[in-house]
Amino acid sequence: MAISALQGGEDVVVDGQTALLRAAEKAGVPRLIPSDFAVDLFRLDDGDNVFLDHRRRAHEAFDGTHVQVTSVLNGAFTEVMTAPFLAVVDWDNDTFAYWGDGDQPCGFTTVADTAAYTAEVALDPAVAGRPVRVAGDVLTMTEFHDALQRGSGRRLELRVRGDASELETEIRRRRAVATGPADFVALQYVWAMVTGKAKLDPLDNDRYPAVRPTGVAEFARRFAR
C-alpha cells in the first residue's frame, strides 16, 4: 500500500503522483491512496475548482494501471473552515459569514480524523479501486454556525454574504484580476460545498466503527480561541 500526502501545484499533484504510481508499479505495490482528501472532486466539472482539476488529471494518469486506486474523500477540513484565510469564521470580531442559502448539508472532518479513516481504508481491501467517502460531521452552514457557538461558548454574529449565484459572480470577478489561483480558489471550494455539487454521498462511516470522529461542536470546545 502506498499513501500519498503530496500537496502543491500541478507539477506536484499530477507529475509527482504519476511518478509515485510508476514507482508503486515497479515495486509491485497493489494499492494506492492518492492525496485527494477533499469534497467529492469526481462530481465536479473542469473549471469548478482549479486545484481539484489537477487531482482529476492525476486520476487520468492512473488509468490502465494494475495498482488499485482508492481516494479518501472527507469534505472540508474543519481546521480549514475555521481558519482566517477562508473568511467564514472571524474569532477576533466574533462573526460568522457564509455564502448560499444556509440549508445545504456539507461534510466536515478534522485532519486527525481524516488520517484515522485513511489508516482504516489502507487496511480494507474490499474498497480497493473505488472512492471512500467519510465525514466527521454533516451540517448545513447555519448548523455549522450553531455548533461553533455551542462548542466555543461564544456568540458569533451571523452574516450572509450572498446566494450561490452571487458567489459565482464573485469568483469570476476575482479570477479576472487574479495573480494566481490563491486569489479565488478558496471560494471555489465554498461554492462546491454550498451548492451541493460536490456533496459526499453515500458516506462510508459505518464501515469504520473504530473511528469516533470529532464533531464541529467538540472541535470548537477544544480548539476555538
Side-chain angles (χ1 to χ4, degrees), residues 38-106:
V39 295
D40 196 337
L41 56 96
F42 302 110
R43 297 180 62 184
L44 296 176
D45 296 311
D46 288 345
D48 286 343
N49 184 299
V50 64
F51 288 167
L52 297 184
D53 288 350
H54 297 162
R55 300 191 184 283
R56 284 198 309 281
R57 280 199 58 208
H59 279 270
E60 291 174 6
F62 299 159
D63 286 345
T65 181
H66 67 266
V67 178
Q68 293 183 297
V69 177
T70 299
S71 296
V72 176
L73 304 174
N74 59 281
F77 286 118
T78 312
E79 293 90 339
V80 173
M81 287 299 298
T82 55
F85 82 91
L86 207 61
V88 174
V89 185
D90 185 340
W91 294 111
D92 291 332
N93 295 297
D94 292 319
T95 61
F96 180 99
Y98 71 93
W99 295 91
D101 61 12
D103 296 327
Q104 173 61 49
C106 306

Short mmCIF file of all heavy atoms in Angstrom, two decimals, residues 38-106:
data_model
loop_
_atom_site.label_atom_id
_atom_site.label_comp_id
_atom_site.label_asym_id
_atom_site.label_seq_id
_atom_site.Cartn_x
_atom_site.Cartn_y
_atom_site.Cartn_z
N ALA A 38 -10.68 15.70 0.10
CA ALA A 38 -11.44 16.91 -0.20
C ALA A 38 -12.91 16.55 -0.35
O ALA A 38 -13.35 15.45 -0.01
CB ALA A 38 -10.90 17.56 -1.48
N VAL A 39 -13.67 17.50 -0.87
CA VAL A 39 -15.05 17.24 -1.28
C VAL A 39 -15.02 16.24 -2.43
O VAL A 39 -13.95 15.84 -2.91
CB VAL A 39 -15.74 18.55 -1.70
CG1 VAL A 39 -15.89 19.49 -0.51
CG2 VAL A 39 -14.98 19.23 -2.85
N ASP A 40 -16.19 15.83 -2.92
CA ASP A 40 -16.21 14.81 -3.97
C ASP A 40 -15.80 15.43 -5.31
O ASP A 40 -16.64 15.90 -6.09
CB ASP A 40 -17.60 14.18 -4.08
CG ASP A 40 -17.57 12.89 -4.88
OD1 ASP A 40 -16.62 12.71 -5.68
OD2 ASP A 40 -18.48 12.06 -4.72
N LEU A 41 -14.52 15.40 -5.57
CA LEU A 41 -13.97 16.03 -6.78
C LEU A 41 -14.44 15.35 -8.06
O LEU A 41 -14.40 15.94 -9.14
CB LEU A 41 -12.45 16.03 -6.72
CG LEU A 41 -11.73 14.69 -6.51
CD1 LEU A 41 -11.29 14.11 -7.84
CD2 LEU A 41 -10.54 14.85 -5.59
N PHE A 42 -14.94 14.11 -7.93
CA PHE A 42 -15.39 13.38 -9.12
C PHE A 42 -16.76 13.86 -9.60
O PHE A 42 -17.19 13.50 -10.70
CB PHE A 42 -15.42 11.89 -8.83
CG PHE A 42 -14.08 11.35 -8.41
CD1 PHE A 42 -13.85 10.94 -7.11
CD2 PHE A 42 -13.02 11.29 -9.31
CE1 PHE A 42 -12.62 10.47 -6.71
CE2 PHE A 42 -11.78 10.82 -8.92
CZ PHE A 42 -11.58 10.40 -7.62
N ARG A 43 -17.44 14.66 -8.81
CA ARG A 43 -18.73 15.22 -9.20
C ARG A 43 -18.60 16.61 -9.81
O ARG A 43 -19.59 17.18 -10.25
CB ARG A 43 -19.67 15.26 -7.99
CG ARG A 43 -19.99 13.88 -7.41
CD ARG A 43 -20.92 13.97 -6.21
NE ARG A 43 -22.20 14.55 -6.58
CZ ARG A 43 -23.18 14.81 -5.72
NH1 ARG A 43 -22.99 14.56 -4.43
NH2 ARG A 43 -24.31 15.33 -6.12
N LEU A 44 -17.39 17.14 -9.81
CA LEU A 44 -17.17 18.49 -10.33
C LEU A 44 -16.79 18.44 -11.80
O LEU A 44 -16.33 17.42 -12.32
CB LEU A 44 -16.07 19.18 -9.54
CG LEU A 44 -16.36 19.45 -8.06
CD1 LEU A 44 -15.14 20.07 -7.39
CD2 LEU A 44 -17.58 20.35 -7.90
N ASP A 45 -16.97 19.57 -12.47
CA ASP A 45 -16.55 19.72 -13.86
C ASP A 45 -15.27 20.52 -13.92
O ASP A 45 -14.93 21.27 -12.99
CB ASP A 45 -17.64 20.45 -14.66
CG ASP A 45 -18.93 19.65 -14.74
OD1 ASP A 45 -18.86 18.44 -15.07
OD2 ASP A 45 -20.01 20.22 -14.46
N ASP A 46 -14.56 20.39 -15.03
CA ASP A 46 -13.35 21.18 -15.21
C ASP A 46 -13.69 22.66 -15.10
O ASP A 46 -14.67 23.14 -15.67
CB ASP A 46 -12.73 20.90 -16.58
CG ASP A 46 -12.08 19.53 -16.66
OD1 ASP A 46 -11.87 18.92 -15.59
OD2 ASP A 46 -11.80 19.06 -17.78
N GLY A 47 -12.87 23.37 -14.34
CA GLY A 47 -13.09 24.79 -14.13
C GLY A 47 -13.81 25.11 -12.83
O GLY A 47 -13.76 26.25 -12.37
N ASP A 48 -14.49 24.11 -12.23
CA ASP A 48 -15.19 24.37 -10.97
C ASP A 48 -14.21 24.66 -9.84
O ASP A 48 -14.50 25.45 -8.95
CB ASP A 48 -16.06 23.17 -10.58
CG ASP A 48 -17.33 23.05 -11.42
OD1 ASP A 48 -17.70 24.04 -12.08
OD2 ASP A 48 -17.94 21.97 -11.41
N ASN A 49 -13.06 23.99 -9.87
CA ASN A 49 -12.04 24.19 -8.84
C ASN A 49 -10.69 23.84 -9.46
O ASN A 49 -10.43 22.68 -9.79
CB ASN A 49 -12.32 23.31 -7.62
CG ASN A 49 -11.34 23.56 -6.49
OD1 ASN A 49 -10.14 23.38 -6.63
ND2 ASN A 49 -11.86 23.97 -5.34
N VAL A 50 -9.84 24.83 -9.59
CA VAL A 50 -8.59 24.63 -10.32
C VAL A 50 -7.69 23.60 -9.66
O VAL A 50 -7.05 22.79 -10.35
CB VAL A 50 -7.85 25.99 -10.49
CG1 VAL A 50 -7.45 26.58 -9.15
CG2 VAL A 50 -6.64 25.83 -11.40
N PHE A 51 -7.65 23.56 -8.33
CA PHE A 51 -6.79 22.58 -7.66
C PHE A 51 -7.36 21.17 -7.77
O PHE A 51 -6.60 20.20 -7.91
CB PHE A 51 -6.60 22.96 -6.19
CG PHE A 51 -5.70 24.15 -5.97
CD1 PHE A 51 -5.64 24.77 -4.74
CD2 PHE A 51 -4.91 24.64 -6.99
CE1 PHE A 51 -4.81 25.87 -4.52
CE2 PHE A 51 -4.08 25.74 -6.80
CZ PHE A 51 -4.03 26.35 -5.56
N LEU A 52 -8.68 21.03 -7.70
CA LEU A 52 -9.28 19.70 -7.83
C LEU A 52 -9.25 19.23 -9.28
O LEU A 52 -9.26 18.02 -9.53
CB LEU A 52 -10.70 19.71 -7.27
CG LEU A 52 -10.78 20.02 -5.77
CD1 LEU A 52 -12.21 19.90 -5.26
CD2 LEU A 52 -9.86 19.10 -4.95
N ASP A 53 -9.18 20.16 -10.23
CA ASP A 53 -8.92 19.78 -11.62
C ASP A 53 -7.61 19.01 -11.72
O ASP A 53 -7.51 18.00 -12.43
CB ASP A 53 -8.83 21.02 -12.52
CG ASP A 53 -10.17 21.70 -12.76
OD1 ASP A 53 -11.21 21.12 -12.38
OD2 ASP A 53 -10.18 22.80 -13.30
N HIS A 54 -6.58 19.48 -11.01
CA HIS A 54 -5.29 18.80 -11.03
C HIS A 54 -5.42 17.38 -10.50
O HIS A 54 -4.81 16.45 -11.04
CB HIS A 54 -4.27 19.56 -10.17
CG HIS A 54 -3.98 20.94 -10.66
ND1 HIS A 54 -3.39 21.91 -9.85
CD2 HIS A 54 -4.19 21.55 -11.87
CE1 HIS A 54 -3.25 23.02 -10.56
NE2 HIS A 54 -3.73 22.83 -11.76
N ARG A 55 -6.21 17.21 -9.46
CA ARG A 55 -6.34 15.89 -8.85
C ARG A 55 -7.07 14.91 -9.79
O ARG A 55 -6.72 13.74 -9.86
CB ARG A 55 -7.02 15.99 -7.50
CG ARG A 55 -6.21 16.90 -6.56
CD ARG A 55 -6.67 16.85 -5.12
NE ARG A 55 -5.90 17.81 -4.33
CZ ARG A 55 -4.65 17.63 -3.92
NH1 ARG A 55 -4.01 16.52 -4.22
NH2 ARG A 55 -4.02 18.56 -3.22
N ARG A 56 -8.05 15.43 -10.53
CA ARG A 56 -8.71 14.57 -11.51
C ARG A 56 -7.76 14.23 -12.66
O ARG A 56 -7.80 13.13 -13.20
CB ARG A 56 -9.99 15.21 -12.03
CG ARG A 56 -11.15 15.15 -11.05
CD ARG A 56 -12.49 15.38 -11.74
NE ARG A 56 -12.45 16.59 -12.54
CZ ARG A 56 -12.57 17.83 -12.03
NH1 ARG A 56 -12.76 17.99 -10.73
NH2 ARG A 56 -12.52 18.88 -12.81
N ARG A 57 -6.91 15.16 -13.03
CA ARG A 57 -5.91 14.89 -14.07
C ARG A 57 -4.95 13.79 -13.62
O ARG A 57 -4.52 12.95 -14.43
CB ARG A 57 -5.12 16.15 -14.41
CG ARG A 57 -5.84 17.09 -15.35
CD ARG A 57 -4.87 18.05 -16.00
NE ARG A 57 -3.83 17.34 -16.72
CZ ARG A 57 -2.60 17.81 -16.93
NH1 ARG A 57 -2.26 19.00 -16.47
NH2 ARG A 57 -1.71 17.11 -17.61
N ALA A 58 -4.61 13.78 -12.35
CA ALA A 58 -3.77 12.70 -11.83
C ALA A 58 -4.46 11.37 -12.00
O ALA A 58 -3.83 10.36 -12.37
CB ALA A 58 -3.43 12.95 -10.36
N HIS A 59 -5.77 11.34 -11.77
CA HIS A 59 -6.51 10.08 -11.93
C HIS A 59 -6.52 9.62 -13.38
O HIS A 59 -6.55 8.41 -13.65
CB HIS A 59 -7.93 10.23 -11.38
CG HIS A 59 -8.02 10.09 -9.90
ND1 HIS A 59 -8.22 8.88 -9.27
CD2 HIS A 59 -7.88 11.00 -8.91
CE1 HIS A 59 -8.22 9.06 -7.96
NE2 HIS A 59 -8.01 10.35 -7.71
N GLU A 60 -6.50 10.54 -14.31
CA GLU A 60 -6.41 10.16 -15.72
C GLU A 60 -5.11 9.42 -15.97
O GLU A 60 -5.06 8.45 -16.75
CB GLU A 60 -6.50 11.40 -16.61
CG GLU A 60 -7.86 12.08 -16.60
CD GLU A 60 -7.86 13.38 -17.37
OE1 GLU A 60 -6.83 13.70 -18.00
OE2 GLU A 60 -8.89 14.08 -17.36
N ALA A 61 -4.05 9.86 -15.31
CA ALA A 61 -2.75 9.19 -15.45
C ALA A 61 -2.76 7.81 -14.79
O ALA A 61 -1.96 6.94 -15.15
CB ALA A 61 -1.64 10.05 -14.84
N PHE A 62 -3.68 7.62 -13.83
CA PHE A 62 -3.76 6.33 -13.14
C PHE A 62 -4.48 5.27 -13.99
O PHE A 62 -4.39 4.08 -13.70
CB PHE A 62 -4.52 6.46 -11.82
CG PHE A 62 -3.88 7.40 -10.82
CD1 PHE A 62 -4.65 7.95 -9.80
CD2 PHE A 62 -2.55 7.73 -10.89
CE1 PHE A 62 -4.08 8.81 -8.87
CE2 PHE A 62 -1.97 8.60 -9.97
CZ PHE A 62 -2.74 9.13 -8.96
N ASP A 63 -5.23 5.71 -15.01
CA ASP A 63 -6.00 4.76 -15.83
C ASP A 63 -5.07 3.73 -16.47
O ASP A 63 -3.99 4.06 -16.98
CB ASP A 63 -6.76 5.50 -16.94
CG ASP A 63 -7.96 6.27 -16.41
OD1 ASP A 63 -8.36 6.01 -15.26
OD2 ASP A 63 -8.48 7.12 -17.14
N GLY A 64 -5.51 2.48 -16.44
CA GLY A 64 -4.77 1.42 -17.09
C GLY A 64 -3.72 0.75 -16.23
O GLY A 64 -3.08 -0.22 -16.66
N THR A 65 -3.54 1.25 -15.01
CA THR A 65 -2.55 0.64 -14.12
C THR A 65 -3.14 -0.56 -13.39
O THR A 65 -4.35 -0.65 -13.19
CB THR A 65 -2.05 1.66 -13.08
OG1 THR A 65 -1.06 1.04 -12.24
CG2 THR A 65 -3.19 2.17 -12.22
N HIS A 66 -2.26 -1.49 -13.01
CA HIS A 66 -2.73 -2.61 -12.21
C HIS A 66 -2.82 -2.24 -10.73
O HIS A 66 -3.37 -3.00 -9.93
CB HIS A 66 -1.78 -3.82 -12.36
CG HIS A 66 -0.42 -3.59 -11.78
ND1 HIS A 66 0.65 -3.15 -12.54
CD2 HIS A 66 0.06 -3.73 -10.52
CE1 HIS A 66 1.71 -3.03 -11.76
NE2 HIS A 66 1.39 -3.38 -10.53
N VAL A 67 -2.29 -1.08 -10.36
CA VAL A 67 -2.40 -0.61 -8.97
C VAL A 67 -3.83 -0.12 -8.75
O VAL A 67 -4.35 0.70 -9.51
CB VAL A 67 -1.41 0.53 -8.69
CG1 VAL A 67 -1.57 1.06 -7.27
CG2 VAL A 67 0.03 0.06 -8.92
N GLN A 68 -4.48 -0.62 -7.71
CA GLN A 68 -5.86 -0.22 -7.41
C GLN A 68 -5.85 1.07 -6.59
O GLN A 68 -5.23 1.14 -5.53
CB GLN A 68 -6.58 -1.33 -6.67
CG GLN A 68 -6.79 -2.58 -7.54
CD GLN A 68 -7.57 -3.65 -6.81
OE1 GLN A 68 -7.12 -4.18 -5.79
NE2 GLN A 68 -8.75 -3.97 -7.31
N VAL A 69 -6.55 2.07 -7.10
CA VAL A 69 -6.52 3.40 -6.51
C VAL A 69 -7.79 3.64 -5.70
O VAL A 69 -8.91 3.42 -6.18
CB VAL A 69 -6.39 4.48 -7.61
CG1 VAL A 69 -6.43 5.88 -7.00
CG2 VAL A 69 -5.09 4.27 -8.39
N THR A 70 -7.62 4.09 -4.46
CA THR A 70 -8.74 4.38 -3.57
C THR A 70 -8.59 5.78 -3.01
O THR A 70 -7.68 6.04 -2.22
CB THR A 70 -8.80 3.37 -2.39
OG1 THR A 70 -8.99 2.05 -2.92
CG2 THR A 70 -9.96 3.70 -1.47
N SER A 71 -9.46 6.69 -3.42
CA SER A 71 -9.45 8.05 -2.87
C SER A 71 -10.19 8.07 -1.54
O SER A 71 -11.22 7.41 -1.39
CB SER A 71 -10.13 9.02 -3.83
OG SER A 71 -9.41 9.12 -5.03
N VAL A 72 -9.68 8.84 -0.59
CA VAL A 72 -10.39 9.12 0.65
C VAL A 72 -10.91 10.54 0.55
O VAL A 72 -10.14 11.50 0.44
CB VAL A 72 -9.48 8.96 1.88
CG1 VAL A 72 -10.23 9.36 3.16
CG2 VAL A 72 -8.97 7.53 1.99
N LEU A 73 -12.23 10.69 0.53
CA LEU A 73 -12.88 11.99 0.39
C LEU A 73 -13.55 12.33 1.71
O LEU A 73 -14.40 11.59 2.20
CB LEU A 73 -13.91 11.94 -0.75
CG LEU A 73 -13.34 11.50 -2.11
CD1 LEU A 73 -14.47 11.34 -3.12
CD2 LEU A 73 -12.29 12.49 -2.60
N ASN A 74 -13.16 13.45 2.29
CA ASN A 74 -13.58 13.79 3.66
C ASN A 74 -14.34 15.11 3.77
O ASN A 74 -14.58 15.60 4.86
CB ASN A 74 -12.35 13.88 4.57
CG ASN A 74 -11.35 14.92 4.10
OD1 ASN A 74 -10.59 14.65 3.16
ND2 ASN A 74 -11.35 16.10 4.70
N GLY A 75 -14.69 15.71 2.63
CA GLY A 75 -15.35 17.01 2.68
C GLY A 75 -14.34 18.10 2.97
O GLY A 75 -13.23 18.10 2.45
N ALA A 76 -14.72 19.03 3.82
CA ALA A 76 -13.83 20.12 4.21
C ALA A 76 -13.13 19.78 5.51
O ALA A 76 -13.73 19.20 6.43
CB ALA A 76 -14.63 21.41 4.39
N PHE A 77 -11.85 20.13 5.60
CA PHE A 77 -11.17 20.02 6.89
C PHE A 77 -11.76 21.06 7.84
O PHE A 77 -11.84 22.25 7.50
CB PHE A 77 -9.67 20.27 6.74
CG PHE A 77 -8.92 19.14 6.09
CD1 PHE A 77 -8.25 19.33 4.89
CD2 PHE A 77 -8.88 17.88 6.68
CE1 PHE A 77 -7.55 18.29 4.29
CE2 PHE A 77 -8.19 16.84 6.09
CZ PHE A 77 -7.53 17.05 4.88
N THR A 78 -12.15 20.64 9.03
CA THR A 78 -12.74 21.56 9.99
C THR A 78 -11.77 22.68 10.33
O THR A 78 -12.17 23.84 10.49
CB THR A 78 -13.14 20.80 11.27
OG1 THR A 78 -13.88 19.63 10.92
CG2 THR A 78 -14.00 21.67 12.17
N GLU A 79 -10.48 22.34 10.42
CA GLU A 79 -9.47 23.35 10.74
C GLU A 79 -9.42 24.43 9.66
O GLU A 79 -9.23 25.61 9.95
CB GLU A 79 -8.09 22.69 10.87
CG GLU A 79 -7.95 21.76 12.06
CD GLU A 79 -8.33 20.31 11.75
OE1 GLU A 79 -9.06 20.09 10.74
OE2 GLU A 79 -7.90 19.42 12.49
N VAL A 80 -9.56 24.01 8.41
CA VAL A 80 -9.51 24.97 7.30
C VAL A 80 -10.76 25.85 7.29
O VAL A 80 -10.70 27.07 7.07
CB VAL A 80 -9.35 24.24 5.96
CG1 VAL A 80 -9.48 25.21 4.78
CG2 VAL A 80 -8.00 23.52 5.90
N MET A 81 -11.91 25.25 7.55
CA MET A 81 -13.17 26.01 7.53
C MET A 81 -13.22 27.07 8.61
O MET A 81 -13.98 28.04 8.50
CB MET A 81 -14.36 25.06 7.68
CG MET A 81 -14.65 24.24 6.44
SD MET A 81 -15.06 25.23 4.97
CE MET A 81 -16.54 26.07 5.50
N THR A 82 -12.43 26.91 9.65
CA THR A 82 -12.43 27.89 10.73
C THR A 82 -11.17 28.75 10.72
O THR A 82 -10.94 29.53 11.65
CB THR A 82 -12.56 27.19 12.09
OG1 THR A 82 -11.53 26.20 12.23
CG2 THR A 82 -13.91 26.50 12.23
N ALA A 83 -10.34 28.61 9.68
CA ALA A 83 -9.10 29.39 9.58
C ALA A 83 -9.39 30.78 9.01
O ALA A 83 -10.33 30.95 8.23
CB ALA A 83 -8.09 28.66 8.70
N PRO A 84 -8.59 31.77 9.35
CA PRO A 84 -8.85 33.15 8.92
C PRO A 84 -8.91 33.34 7.41
O PRO A 84 -9.74 34.11 6.91
CB PRO A 84 -7.69 33.93 9.53
CG PRO A 84 -7.26 33.14 10.71
CD PRO A 84 -7.45 31.71 10.30
N PHE A 85 -8.06 32.63 6.64
CA PHE A 85 -7.99 32.92 5.22
C PHE A 85 -9.27 32.57 4.47
O PHE A 85 -9.54 33.13 3.41
CB PHE A 85 -6.79 32.20 4.58
CG PHE A 85 -7.06 30.76 4.23
CD1 PHE A 85 -7.53 30.40 2.98
CD2 PHE A 85 -6.83 29.76 5.16
CE1 PHE A 85 -7.77 29.08 2.66
CE2 PHE A 85 -7.06 28.43 4.85
CZ PHE A 85 -7.52 28.09 3.60
N LEU A 86 -10.09 31.68 5.03
CA LEU A 86 -11.33 31.32 4.35
C LEU A 86 -12.42 32.36 4.60
O LEU A 86 -13.42 32.40 3.89
CB LEU A 86 -11.80 29.94 4.80
CG LEU A 86 -12.66 29.18 3.80
CD1 LEU A 86 -11.88 28.93 2.50
CD2 LEU A 86 -13.13 27.86 4.38
N ALA A 87 -12.23 33.19 5.61
CA ALA A 87 -13.13 34.32 5.91
C ALA A 87 -14.56 33.89 6.19
O ALA A 87 -15.50 34.60 5.88
CB ALA A 87 -13.10 35.33 4.75
N VAL A 88 -14.72 32.71 6.79
CA VAL A 88 -16.03 32.29 7.28
C VAL A 88 -16.15 32.65 8.75
O VAL A 88 -17.05 33.39 9.16
CB VAL A 88 -16.26 30.78 7.06
CG1 VAL A 88 -17.58 30.35 7.70
CG2 VAL A 88 -16.25 30.44 5.57
N VAL A 89 -15.23 32.17 9.56
CA VAL A 89 -15.23 32.44 10.99
C VAL A 89 -14.17 33.49 11.31
O VAL A 89 -13.01 33.35 10.92
CB VAL A 89 -14.94 31.16 11.80
CG1 VAL A 89 -15.06 31.43 13.29
CG2 VAL A 89 -15.88 30.03 11.38
N ASP A 90 -14.59 34.53 11.98
CA ASP A 90 -13.65 35.56 12.44
C ASP A 90 -13.74 35.61 13.96
O ASP A 90 -14.62 36.26 14.53
CB ASP A 90 -14.02 36.92 11.83
CG ASP A 90 -13.01 38.01 12.17
OD1 ASP A 90 -12.27 37.85 13.15
OD2 ASP A 90 -13.00 39.03 11.46
N TRP A 91 -12.82 34.87 14.61
CA TRP A 91 -12.85 34.79 16.06
C TRP A 91 -12.49 36.12 16.71
O TRP A 91 -12.93 36.42 17.81
CB TRP A 91 -11.89 33.71 16.55
CG TRP A 91 -12.27 32.31 16.17
CD1 TRP A 91 -11.62 31.50 15.28
CD2 TRP A 91 -13.38 31.54 16.66
NE1 TRP A 91 -12.26 30.29 15.19
CE2 TRP A 91 -13.33 30.28 16.02
CE3 TRP A 91 -14.41 31.81 17.56
CZ2 TRP A 91 -14.28 29.28 16.27
CZ3 TRP A 91 -15.35 30.81 17.81
CH2 TRP A 91 -15.28 29.58 17.18
N ASP A 92 -11.69 36.93 16.03
CA ASP A 92 -11.29 38.22 16.60
C ASP A 92 -12.46 39.19 16.70
O ASP A 92 -12.54 39.98 17.65
CB ASP A 92 -10.17 38.85 15.76
CG ASP A 92 -8.87 38.09 15.84
OD1 ASP A 92 -8.64 37.44 16.88
OD2 ASP A 92 -8.09 38.13 14.87
N ASN A 93 -13.36 39.11 15.72
CA ASN A 93 -14.50 40.03 15.69
C ASN A 93 -15.83 39.34 15.97
O ASN A 93 -16.89 39.96 15.86
CB ASN A 93 -14.57 40.75 14.34
CG ASN A 93 -13.38 41.65 14.12
OD1 ASN A 93 -13.17 42.61 14.86
ND2 ASN A 93 -12.55 41.33 13.12
N ASP A 94 -15.76 38.06 16.33
CA ASP A 94 -16.96 37.28 16.70
C ASP A 94 -18.03 37.33 15.62
O ASP A 94 -19.20 37.65 15.88
CB ASP A 94 -17.53 37.79 18.03
CG ASP A 94 -16.60 37.49 19.20
OD1 ASP A 94 -16.03 36.39 19.24
OD2 ASP A 94 -16.43 38.37 20.06
N THR A 95 -17.63 36.97 14.39
CA THR A 95 -18.59 36.92 13.29
C THR A 95 -18.48 35.59 12.55
O THR A 95 -17.44 34.92 12.58
CB THR A 95 -18.37 38.07 12.28
OG1 THR A 95 -17.06 37.94 11.71
CG2 THR A 95 -18.53 39.42 12.95
N PHE A 96 -19.55 35.25 11.88
CA PHE A 96 -19.62 34.06 11.03
C PHE A 96 -20.32 34.48 9.75
O PHE A 96 -21.50 34.86 9.78
CB PHE A 96 -20.40 32.94 11.73
CG PHE A 96 -20.51 31.66 10.93
CD1 PHE A 96 -19.66 30.59 11.19
CD2 PHE A 96 -21.47 31.53 9.93
CE1 PHE A 96 -19.77 29.41 10.46
CE2 PHE A 96 -21.59 30.35 9.20
CZ PHE A 96 -20.73 29.29 9.46
N ALA A 97 -19.61 34.45 8.63
CA ALA A 97 -20.16 34.92 7.37
C ALA A 97 -20.15 33.78 6.35
O ALA A 97 -19.12 33.12 6.16
CB ALA A 97 -19.35 36.10 6.84
N TYR A 98 -21.29 33.54 5.69
CA TYR A 98 -21.36 32.42 4.77
C TYR A 98 -22.06 32.81 3.47
O TYR A 98 -22.79 33.79 3.39
CB TYR A 98 -22.09 31.23 5.41
CG TYR A 98 -23.58 31.43 5.60
CD1 TYR A 98 -24.49 31.00 4.63
CD2 TYR A 98 -24.09 32.04 6.74
CE1 TYR A 98 -25.86 31.18 4.81
CE2 TYR A 98 -25.44 32.21 6.93
CZ TYR A 98 -26.33 31.78 5.96
OH TYR A 98 -27.67 31.97 6.12
N TRP A 99 -21.78 32.00 2.45
CA TRP A 99 -22.45 32.12 1.15
C TRP A 99 -23.50 31.03 1.04
O TRP A 99 -23.43 30.00 1.70
CB TRP A 99 -21.45 31.95 0.01
CG TRP A 99 -20.40 33.01 -0.09
CD1 TRP A 99 -19.17 32.99 0.51
CD2 TRP A 99 -20.45 34.22 -0.84
NE1 TRP A 99 -18.45 34.13 0.16
CE2 TRP A 99 -19.22 34.89 -0.67
CE3 TRP A 99 -21.43 34.81 -1.66
CZ2 TRP A 99 -18.93 36.11 -1.27
CZ3 TRP A 99 -21.16 36.02 -2.27
CH2 TRP A 99 -19.93 36.67 -2.08
N GLY A 100 -24.49 31.23 0.16
CA GLY A 100 -25.51 30.21 -0.08
C GLY A 100 -26.75 30.45 0.74
O GLY A 100 -26.90 31.48 1.41
N ASP A 101 -27.66 29.45 0.69
CA ASP A 101 -28.92 29.59 1.42
C ASP A 101 -28.83 29.10 2.86
O ASP A 101 -29.79 29.24 3.63
CB ASP A 101 -30.05 28.87 0.68
CG ASP A 101 -29.82 27.36 0.53
OD1 ASP A 101 -28.91 26.82 1.18
OD2 ASP A 101 -30.57 26.73 -0.25
N GLY A 102 -27.71 28.52 3.22
CA GLY A 102 -27.52 28.05 4.60
C GLY A 102 -28.15 26.71 4.88
O GLY A 102 -28.02 26.20 6.00
N ASP A 103 -28.81 26.09 3.89
CA ASP A 103 -29.56 24.86 4.13
C ASP A 103 -28.96 23.63 3.47
O ASP A 103 -29.52 22.53 3.60
CB ASP A 103 -31.00 25.02 3.64
CG ASP A 103 -31.77 26.09 4.41
OD1 ASP A 103 -31.49 26.25 5.61
OD2 ASP A 103 -32.62 26.77 3.80
N GLN A 104 -27.86 23.77 2.76
CA GLN A 104 -27.25 22.64 2.07
C GLN A 104 -26.31 21.89 3.02
O GLN A 104 -25.36 22.47 3.54
CB GLN A 104 -26.45 23.13 0.86
CG GLN A 104 -25.62 22.06 0.17
CD GLN A 104 -26.47 20.93 -0.38
OE1 GLN A 104 -27.47 21.18 -1.06
NE2 GLN A 104 -26.12 19.70 -0.06
N PRO A 105 -26.55 20.59 3.26
CA PRO A 105 -25.64 19.82 4.13
C PRO A 105 -24.24 19.73 3.53
O PRO A 105 -24.07 19.53 2.32
CB PRO A 105 -26.30 18.44 4.19
CG PRO A 105 -27.74 18.69 3.86
CD PRO A 105 -27.72 19.79 2.84
N CYS A 106 -23.24 19.87 4.39
CA CYS A 106 -21.84 19.82 3.99
C CYS A 106 -21.08 18.90 4.95
O CYS A 106 -21.44 18.79 6.12
CB CYS A 106 -21.20 21.22 4.04
SG CYS A 106 -22.05 22.50 3.10
#
